[in-house]
Amino acid sequence: MKKKLIIAAAIAFAVFAIPCGSSALSTVSVASENNTVVTPSTKPVEEVKNAVDAIDTSKITDAASADNAAVALIKIGSKDLKEAMNAGQDTVNDVAAIEAAYKKAKGIKDTTLANSGAVKAVGIVGAAFVAPDTTLSVEAPAATPEITSSTYAVTSTPVYVEISLKAGTYSVESLPIPVAVTIETPAGVDGNKAVIFHFVNGGLEEIKPIYNASANTLTFTVNHFSTFAIAEANNTATAEGTDNAFGRYRDNVASEIANAKDGATVKISRDKNINALPNDIMQALYKKQTVALELEYTFEGNEYTVTIPAGKAEDNAIEWYGPLYLQMRYGK
């Protein structure tokens, strides 16, 4: 039987508030024969997002101001910007808007997408900052390395692809400003469960892509191109107080909210065994003021349905919103 996610309910109507720290931990696993090194992001994701938001696209009107915008992105740091872009579609969209103004000011054409393998790229953000004439090549790889992940258990046949970026005839090895690539979800892969495995410099980078269910696409951001594998995978790490079902499902709820159409209601059904909401899902609702969330859950033998109406999500530092608080605040 699946263990239900239950935040301690000893205190009636408690909000179960654990103050959120200001820093976020984003990990890149670099695997060797015997160990995995986990490197934390040096800047909180929110700090990076605010730095991106501070770049005013209306002031990018000529080559000089365009270069200044690019420098501002470089100053954020390639790794930190990459982590923020992988954390949410909104940051990808913000960088895309800056890039669009940059291209217009400098007369740069769109990147050419050259697809010749089993995976098809349908979009790219950030390549214009590299050079005025770029081509993204997506093709079958020369080799298919083994996935040796300590974080994920692969549950489907991996789809391998080689992705490279060229500026004219020259291959781009590293990126001072990271690039987001959007691909069609490969046949046979459930986008909700997909993980991108990036083989780089003898190590393995694991990326949970942003899944757009309506378009059936996956978006992921990198600062290096090489061989990738796309596969369904389960996170093998179980956080205290949660179960694997919730851990797997939670990764995509915020993305589903961000990509939902105005007026839509995102639903979390009772069979997901979720009876509390984490801050990141509440924040996703707060940012998408036109989308509602309906949550069905069972707590202490009682069945509840709560709906957070569009525009009514909370914006605070509460880490978890518990079952009794949700019922008191949003219950029918």
Side-chain angles (χ1 to χ4, degrees):
M1 181 182 294
K2 294 182 179 178
K3 181 180 66 176
K4 295 181 179 180
L5 170 67
I6 300 179
I7 307 303
I11 303 175
F13 298 102
V15 296
F16 312 110
I18 302 174
C20 289
S22 61
S23 62
L25 180 65
S26 301
T27 62
V28 175
S29 299
V30 183
S32 63
E33 288 184 331
N34 301 311
N35 66 345
T36 299
V37 178
V38 179
T39 306
S41 174
T42 56
K43 295 179 183 177
V45 169
E46 285 301 320
E47 179 181 327
V48 174
K49 292 170 64 176
N50 290 338
V52 174
D53 288 340
I55 301 174
D56 189 349
T57 56
S58 68
K59 295 182 179 179
I60 303 175
T61 57
D62 54 22
S65 56
D67 288 338
N68 288 337
V71 169
L73 288 174
I74 292 172
K75 286 182 177 179
I76 292 172
S78 181
K79 178 180 179 299
D80 292 314
L81 183 55
K82 178 188 72 173
E83 298 296 342
M85 292 171 72
N86 277 322
Q89 186 66 44
D90 52 347
T91 305
V92 176
N93 293 342
D94 288 343
V95 174
I98 296 168
E99 183 187 32
Y102 179 91
K103 289 193 293 186
K104 182 178 180 180
K106 303 196 75 168
I108 297 175
K109 65 179 183 180
D110 292 340
T111 298
T112 299
L113 303 178
N115 296 297
S116 61
V119 177
K120 181 180 179 182
V122 294
I124 186 169
V125 172
F129 298 119
V130 176
D133 181 16
T134 54
T135 299
L136 184 78
S137 296
V138 182
E139 55 194 345
T144 55
E146 181 183 0
I147 299 174
T148 55
S149 172
S150 63
T151 306
Y152 290 95
V154 175
T155 59
S156 71
T157 302
V159 178
Y160 287 87
V161 63
E162 185 78 17
I163 303 179
S164 61
L165 184 68
K166 288 187 175 181
T169 58
Y170 297 95
S171 294
V172 178
E173 298 297 331
S174 60
L175 301 162
I177 296 175
V179 170
V181 177
T182 299
I183 61 173
E184 292 181 349
T185 303
V189 176
D190 182 343
N192 281 310
K193 302 176 182 178
V195 175
I196 307 292
F197 298 96
H198 183 197
F199 302 91
V200 54
N201 297 328
L204 182 67
E205 178 183 20
E206 301 153 333
I207 304 170
K208 187 64 181 174
I210 300 167
Y211 178 51
N212 184 327
S214 60
N216 195 29
T217 59
L218 303 172
T219 298
F220 56 97
T221 301
V222 295
N223 50 22
H224 184 94
F225 287 108
S226 53
T227 302
F228 297 80
I230 304 99
E232 295 177 18
N234 294 335
N235 194 322
T236 58
T238 304
E240 182 179 357
T242 67
D243 66 0
N244 279 336
F246 177 67
R248 293 193 297 270
Y249 188 70
R250 172 183 175 179
D251 288 335
N252 289 291
V253 173
S255 293
E256 184 179 354
I257 293 169
N259 291 310
K261 295 181 179 179
D262 291 349
T265 298
V266 174
K267 297 184 178 182
I268 301 177
S269 56
R270 200 177 312 279
D271 63 350
K272 299 302 180 183
N273 294 321
I274 297 170
N275 62 15
L277 283 183
N279 184 269
D280 55 355
I281 293 179
M282 187 69 80
Q283 283 296 309
L285 284 169
Y286 180 78
K287 292 174 183 176
K288 193 69 177 280
Q289 295 279 315
T290 58
V291 173
L293 176 72
E294 181 180 285
L295 172 63
E296 298 177 340
Y297 61 91
T298 302
F299 178 67
E300 294 187 339
N302 297 313
E303 294 187 349
Y304 299 95
T305 298
V306 299
T307 299
I308 303 177
K312 298 298 183 181
E314 299 183 14
D315 180 26
N316 52 43
I318 295 174
E319 187 172 359
W320 288 95
Y321 300 86
L324 297 178
Y325 178 83
L326 289 171
Q327 174 61 22
M328 179 180 66
R329 180 74 172 82
Y330 298 108
K332 294 181 178 179

